[in-house]
Amino acid sequence: PVNQVNWFEAISYCNARSRELGLDTVYEYQDVELNSQGHIQSLDGVKINLDVEGFRLPLEAEWEYVTRFNQSDDLESMAWYVENSGSVIHKVGDKIPGVLGFYDLQGNVMEWINDWKGSYQDLDVDNFAGAIGPNTLEERIVKGGSYQHGLNFLHPSNRGDIYPINTEIAGDYIGFRCALGPIDNPSYLSETGI
């Protein structure tokens, strides 16, 4: 799987993929700052246009919905995690796919999500798109657990790692997958948790 990419690089890939296929780009930004290794360190003025037809990172609500329907009772046969991975990343598709045909939604590498990490609400909300802005640690959500994590990290409701994950973090256990399609009238969680 793709790994060693931060959130900025993941959204840049989504834009590049959209342009390649003649689709609208979901992410807008004014300037790109690279670090000494040539990785994107920051994107100034990021704006997310969820209402356009283009590639993007999945919303947390989308990722959880698909994962809950994709998983089977036998997670061992579907996912690489600390007890069966040998502490290494594995090729995508080495385990069986889930019920919906998705490979590696859980385990192998965690996946960047579009949303800021905000309060977790147990409410029914149409087109939920996460928090309106960052929390005090400026965390983004990663989902799915990885080859380094135990089964509790693979649960669809788990939202990160044991330490804060922000947009600049890249690691061999963090990757991404793209989603495609607009979100009409996205609903965001306010700063007060409403």
Side-chain angles (χ1 to χ4, degrees):
V2 172
N3 65 339
Q4 289 289 352
V5 293
N6 62 36
W7 189 85
F8 295 127
E9 292 168 320
I11 69 168
S12 295
Y13 175 85
C14 290
N15 273 359
R17 186 79 176 122
S18 293
R19 283 191 296 274
E20 179 183 337
L21 295 178
L23 302 172
D24 293 322
T25 54
V26 172
Y27 305 96
E28 294 178 24
Y29 42 88
Q30 281 79 46
D31 194 27
V32 177
E33 184 180 335
L34 302 177
N35 65 19
S36 60
Q37 290 83 35
H39 290 276
I40 299 174
Q41 184 171 311
S42 70
L43 296 172
D44 294 332
V46 173
K47 183 180 175 196
I48 303 170
N49 303 308
L50 292 176
D51 60 344
V52 301
E53 180 74 25
F55 286 96
R56 58 182 169 74
L57 296 177
L59 303 177
E60 181 177 28
E62 291 176 306
W63 191 95
E64 278 196 33
Y65 182 84
V66 168
T67 301
R68 288 179 191 282
F69 283 100
N70 191 65
Q71 68 184 9
S72 74
D73 293 335
D74 184 15
L75 201 52
E76 173 91 19
S77 65
M78 290 178 53
W80 295 110
Y81 57 101
V82 72
E83 285 85 12
N84 69 1
S85 70
S87 298
V88 296
I89 295 172
H90 293 266
K91 184 179 138 205
V92 174
D94 278 355
K95 290 284 190 174
I96 65 167
V99 175
L100 298 177
F102 288 95
Y103 288 92
D104 294 340
L105 274 172
Q106 295 162 281
N108 218 10
V109 297
M110 298 181 106
E111 298 180 8
W112 283 114
I113 299 298
N114 192 74
D115 308 12
W116 287 109
K117 190 173 186 181
S119 300
Y120 199 83
Q121 301 291 327
D122 187 16
L123 303 168
D124 288 337
V125 179
D126 289 337
N127 300 337
F128 184 62
I132 194 75
N135 60 20
T136 56
L137 298 174
E138 297 191 5
E139 293 175 279
R140 290 284 181 179
I141 297 172
V142 288
K143 302 290 272 184
S146 79
Y147 70 95
Q148 296 180 343
H149 294 100
L151 283 174
N152 58 323
F153 278 89
L154 277 59
H155 192 275
S157 64
N158 188 58
R159 316 176 76 214
D161 201 353
I162 56 174
Y163 58 87
I165 300 289
N166 61 40
T167 50
E168 297 87 20
I169 289 181
D172 60 338
Y173 66 95
I174 301 175
F176 71 98
R177 102 178 39 231
C178 297
L180 174 64
I183 304 294
D184 296 324
N185 303 312
S187 299
Y188 291 93
L189 183 69
S190 73
E191 293 174 3
T192 60
I194 299 172

